[in-house]
Amino acid sequence: DAGVTQSPTHLIKTRGQHVTLRCSPISGHKSVSWYQQVLGQGPQFIFQYYEKEERGRGNFPDRFSARQFPNYSSELNVNALLLGDSALYLCASSSGQGALYEQYFGPGTRLTVT
Amino acid sequence: RKEVEQDPGPFNVPEGATVAFNCTYSNSASQSFFWYRQDCRKEPKLLMSVYSSGNEDGRFTAQLNRASQYISLLIRDSKLSDSATYLCVVNHSGYALNFGKGTSLLVTP
C-alpha cells in the first residue's frame, strides 16, 4: 500500500510569495497533520484536520492556513513568505483523531525561501 | 522549559554495543509516547509506541515512567544501519505530537 505522499518534493520561492503544499494520506486514513522542521530541531506542529475540520492549531502566524478535501487529501498554504519559513514541511496521517492514534509521515516538501 | 528534552549526543558506539537514550517531558497530562527514527534529510519513521508496562520489539526496548515523566529507549546489539537521529515524542493535546530535538547515534565498524 502507498504511504503518505507529498508534492512537490522541493520548492524555491522568494520572500513575499505564496506557496501551496499538498499531501495525500494513507488510504483509509481520515486525519492529516502538518509539521514544520527546521534544521537541527524536531518537527513543530502546525495543524491537524480530521473529517475535513480543523481539530488543532499550533503556534504559527495567520499566514499559515490549511484545508482538507472530501477525499481526505490536504493543502498547506503559506502567504507572504519570510526567510525563516525555509524548512522541511512534513505531512502525517493517522486513521483516527486522538492521542493514541499513531501518525505516519510523508517524505516532506523542502521549501527554500530566498 | 522545553516540553520534551533529550540529550542531543552524538552517541558514537561500536557495532554490537548496547546503547540507551533518555528523554524527559514536562506535561504530566501527556497521553501517549513514541520513539521515531529519522535518517539524514528524510522523514521521521515510527519506531515504536511506548507503554507504561514497557515494550520490546526485537533489539529495541522502550520504557515509560509516568511518575518521573521519563522515557527511555534501549538498543541492543547495535547495527551500522541503526545510525540515525532518534526522536522522543509525546502527545498531551490529543492531536499534536511534541518532538524532542533528537539524539544522534553513530554506530561504527
Side-chain angles (χ1 to χ4, degrees):
Chain A
D1 283 345
V4 178
T5 59
Q6 292 185 244
S7 63
T9 53
H10 295 85
L11 204 51
I12 300 174
K13 292 285 191 177
T14 55
R15 277 177 298 177
Q17 286 189 315
H18 161 91
V19 68
T20 298
L21 310 181
R22 296 179 173 83
C23 171
S24 291
I26 293 169
S27 177
H29 283 195
K30 298 181 178 180
S31 177
V32 169
S33 300
W34 288 94
Y35 293 80
Q36 180 197 64
Q37 186 175 25
V38 298
L39 201 61
Q41 302 291 322
Q44 295 291 313
F45 173 74
I46 310 175
F47 287 108
Q48 185 181 81
Y49 278 77
Y50 177 69
E51 290 283 17
K52 301 178 286 294
E53 290 190 11
E54 181 182 308
R55 301 291 180 153
R57 182 182 184 119
N59 188 24
F60 279 80
D62 290 344
R63 300 185 294 108
F64 289 76
S65 64
R67 55 180 175 165
Q68 186 177 34
F69 299 100
N71 66 353
Y72 303 109
S73 67
S74 177
E75 280 182 357
L76 176 70
N77 295 283
V78 187
N79 292 323
L81 285 166
L82 302 174
L83 294 180
D85 295 331
S86 295
L88 179 66
Y89 288 85
L90 295 159
C91 173
S93 79
S94 58
S95 56
Q97 197 257 338
L100 298 183
Y101 287 93
E102 295 170 342
Q103 296 188 24
Y104 298 90
F105 285 84
T109 294
R110 193 165 298 278
L111 173 65
T112 301
V113 182
T114 62
Chain B
R1 180 182 173 188
K2 292 207 179 291
E3 293 199 40
V4 181
E5 298 210 48
Q6 297 180 249
D7 179 347
F11 284 62
N12 293 333
V13 302
E15 267 187 294
T18 295
V19 61
F21 304 137
N22 303 317
C23 162
T24 57
Y25 60 95
S26 62
N27 193 322
S28 60
S30 296
Q31 303 172 48
S32 56
F33 310 87
F34 309 92
W35 283 100
Y36 279 76
R37 168 201 169 120
Q38 187 170 28
D39 293 289
C40 187
R41 300 181 71 82
K42 299 284 193 181
E43 75 273 22
K45 290 191 189 300
L46 179 64
L47 185 63
M48 56 201 305
S49 300
V50 188
Y51 305 113
S52 296
S53 54
N55 46 303
E56 186 174 310
D57 182 2
R59 298 181 293 109
F60 299 84
T61 301
Q63 297 279 350
L64 168 65
N65 185 321
R66 284 188 183 267
S68 302
Q69 296 180 203
Y70 171 95
I71 307 163
S72 66
L73 177 69
L74 184 76
I75 305 176
R76 291 181 299 278
D77 189 23
S78 298
K79 311 290 185 193
L80 296 177
S81 58
D82 293 334
S83 297
T85 295
Y86 290 83
L87 297 161
C88 177
V89 184
V90 170
N91 187 329
H92 63 77
S93 65
Y95 47 86
L97 296 180
N98 293 282
F99 286 79
K101 284 189 177 182
T103 298
S104 176
L105 172 66
L106 178 63
V107 182
T108 55

